Amino acid sequence: MKLVSHPATRPLSGTVTIPGDKSIGHRALLFSLLSETPVRVLGLGDGADNGRSAKAVTQLGARVARDGKALVIHGTGLRGMRAPEGAIDCGNSGTTIRLLCGLLAGQRFATGLVGDESLSSRPMARVIDPLRAMGATITGVPRGMDLVPPLTVGPAIGPLAPLAIALEMASAQVKTAILLAGLYAEGATCVTEPGPSRDHTERMLAYLGAPLTVAGRTTTITTTGWNGRLAGDGFSVPSDPSSSAFLVAAALLAGAGEVRLPNICVNPTRTGFLDAIAAMGGVVTLEDRDETGPEPIATLVVRGAPQELRATTIAGDLAVRSIDELPVLAVIAARARGTTIVRDAGELRVKESDRIATTCAMLRGFGIACEASPDGFTVEGRPDRPLDPAHVHAGGDHRIAMAAAVGGLVATGPTHIDDADNVATSYPGFAAALTGLGASVTSST
Ligand code: S3P
């Protein structure tokens, strides 16, 4: 599928309901499998990645039923899963495969985990090594110093051994995989991170009654004396801040009468994008803030003429807190005055594409000077002249395709984006949403 993004001819305006957060959606599905009571999941996004997790839980023995707008997951409890028929296909979804590694490490059966071409080249040793240290049997395909899918997880011959580990890099996926395996270990499993990664797992497992504690940067699961029972009534999935970032960026760059994005998850582990924009002088207002639920939510509002922006530096914890938004932040940086520096983001190299390479190639397509480094890139902003119309190869990466579509709104002619099918992994309605705001983004096969 190809996208064509046309220069915006008027300010964007309107209200868009962004689909449910992908990270929370995966967890709602996978954790509900472990519940002994049926769990109602409201607000799940319609992206293909969450669909992979939904299919996986049915293959492992859950019954998934639709009830109006909710999905009701009739889980198996911790010990009732069954061996799936055939391998579980995780598609493009890194979160599905990595979380399943943890969930399946303690099962008495073996499960094959496969993925598409992109997923089959993504590093898995980061989850496999600690799980093996807990006694799990996991095999993968050697690639250099790492292991890549297809993977086989299990069978476990007895309970797993608890683990205390300090991660070299903050990673919510790795942390979650280890904590899930910790539910099947005897004793205390502790994960310490060097900085803050998203904490949805902690919030959601605690809600289900897992024996989980958080102290500083260390999260611990202690099974000693625990009855092994997880249960809950439901999860409400707020709208995805990572998907909202594209529409926020579009409104900042193209100008907005008023663009409103309600119900966005504003968990502080996810708001690096908003913090980076604020540092660039961009104004995004948070209205209707609601802290009463398990995740804080707010309506994001952008108003007014295209905003004057200045370059910034994104590094350290801020890079972790905006990791999925860095491609679209790079497009914003292309319109900001000065040189934006992104560093401490080496993780970008192993996302759905090598996002340092694909982001730089996209920006160069727009006529913007961009230098890659091992752990980031620099962008020479060009605020005084629109972008050049680009021909972007998204490389099958949803976030590159959507970032390029945003850039196309402030270019001097149509921007063509090839290999954009995977927009459907996180935000199938993206082009329609932008068009609904008054932009023109069309698709063709
Ligand atoms: C995710 C964690 C992040 C993020 C990814 C989703 C998750 O990766 O980039 O898109 O849902 O746990 P890390 O595991 O590197 O934090």
Side-chain angles (χ1 to χ4, degrees):
M1 197 251 283
K2 298 175 198 295
L3 290 176
V4 183
S5 175
H6 299 269
T9 52
R10 56 192 154 119
L12 306 185
S13 245
T15 299
V16 175
T17 303
I18 305 270
D21 182 64
K22 187 153 76 78
S23 287
I24 297 175
H26 284 303
R27 289 162 172 78
L29 292 160
L30 297 171
F31 298 175
S32 296
L33 171 66
L34 303 178
S35 170
E36 294 187 4
T37 51
V39 181
R40 281 174 73 79
V41 181
L42 258 175
L44 195 67
D46 54 353
D49 278 9
N50 277 175
R52 297 291 180 179
S53 288
K55 174 92 191 296
V57 300
T58 57
Q59 281 182 266
L60 290 165
R63 187 163 63 81
V64 178
R66 186 156 282 287
D67 179 13
K69 288 189 170 164
L71 269 194
V72 183
I73 321 292
H74 299 260
T76 59
L78 222 54
R79 312 256 166 221
M81 264 178 245
R82 62 157 195 252
E85 272 179 35
I88 293 177
D89 187 352
C90 303
N92 194 243
S93 177
T95 307
T96 304
I97 199 165
R98 294 198 176 119
L99 268 50
L100 279 176
C101 284
L103 199 78
L104 295 168
Q107 307 303 325
R108 298 300 168 94
F109 53 82
T111 306
L113 301 175
V114 301
D116 69 5
E117 195 185 326
S118 153
L119 189 61
S120 300
S121 64
R122 294 183 66 185
M124 296 294 146
R126 57 186 59 198
V127 285
I128 293 174
D129 290 348
L131 295 174
R132 279 182 176 164
M134 297 174 79
T137 310
I138 309 185
T139 56
V141 179
R143 166 99 39 110
M145 302 289 282
D146 218 299
L147 290 167
V148 296
L151 310 178
T152 303
V153 184
I157 16 186
L160 297 175
L163 179 73
I165 186 170
L167 302 182
E168 273 171 33
M169 219 168 36
S171 163
Q173 292 173 350
V174 177
K175 170 178 64 182
T176 304
I178 298 167
L179 295 173
L180 287 171
L183 295 171
Y184 293 88
E186 284 177 353
T189 296
C190 326
V191 184
T192 303
E193 293 186 282
S197 70
R198 59 195 70 190
D199 66 355
H200 310 304
T201 293
E202 292 86 319
R203 292 169 188 250
M204 295 170 76
L205 280 183
Y207 165 75
L208 291 177
L212 179 142
T213 52
V214 180
R217 296 253 172 273
T218 302
T219 309
T220 304
I221 292 275
T222 309
T223 56
T224 316
W226 178 51
N227 62 7
R229 192 166 180 273
L230 294 179
D233 297 331
F235 291 115
S236 175
V237 184
S239 292
D240 194 324
S242 301
S243 299
S244 81
F246 300 102
L247 301 193
V248 168
L252 288 173
L253 297 184
E258 181 175 86
V259 169
R260 298 182 71 81
L261 310 173
N263 194 40
I264 306 293
C265 174
V266 289
N267 177 320
T269 62
R270 299 292 298 281
T271 49
F273 171 72
L274 295 175
D275 294 346
I277 284 178
M280 297 173 95
V283 181
V284 180
T285 314
L286 271 62
E287 295 181 3
D288 310 324
R289 220 188 153 95
D290 181 352
E291 310 253 355
T292 56
E295 293 279 350
I297 53 172
T299 299
L300 304 187
V301 186
V302 181
R303 296 187 184 92
Q307 299 196 8
E308 290 270 323
L309 300 166
R310 54 180 180 270
T312 190
T313 295
I314 300 172
D317 289 351
L318 182 58
V320 178
R321 292 173 53 246
S322 60
I323 193 79
D324 293 340
E325 292 74 64
L326 290 174
V328 74
L329 275 168
V331 173
I332 297 174
R335 300 290 295 142
R337 193 167 303 283
T339 306
T340 290
I341 301 169
V342 175
R343 54 179 146 75
D344 304 326
E347 265 308 281
L348 289 178
R349 296 260 179 220
V350 289
K351 293 293 182 187
E352 286 83 328
S353 67
D354 172 347
R355 281 191 184 150
I356 293 180
T358 48
T359 298
C360 288
M362 165 182 64
L363 289 189
R364 288 192 197 113
F366 283 121
I368 297 298
C370 179
E371 277 301 315
S373 68
D375 70 343
F377 51 84
T378 55
V379 181
E380 301 296 334
R382 195 170 91 183
D384 299 322
R385 207 150 54 82
L387 304 181
D388 302 339
H391 192 148
V392 175
H393 298 275
D397 186 328
H398 57 137
R399 299 204 198 276
I400 298 297
M402 291 188 277
V406 171
L409 304 182
V410 286
T412 51
T415 286
H416 293 262
I417 306 155
D418 292 344
D419 202 3
D421 301 67
N422 276 344
V423 166
T425 60
S426 62
Y427 193 179
F430 167 71
L434 259 187
T435 301
L437 291 174
S440 168
V441 179
T442 52
S443 60
S444 65
T445 43

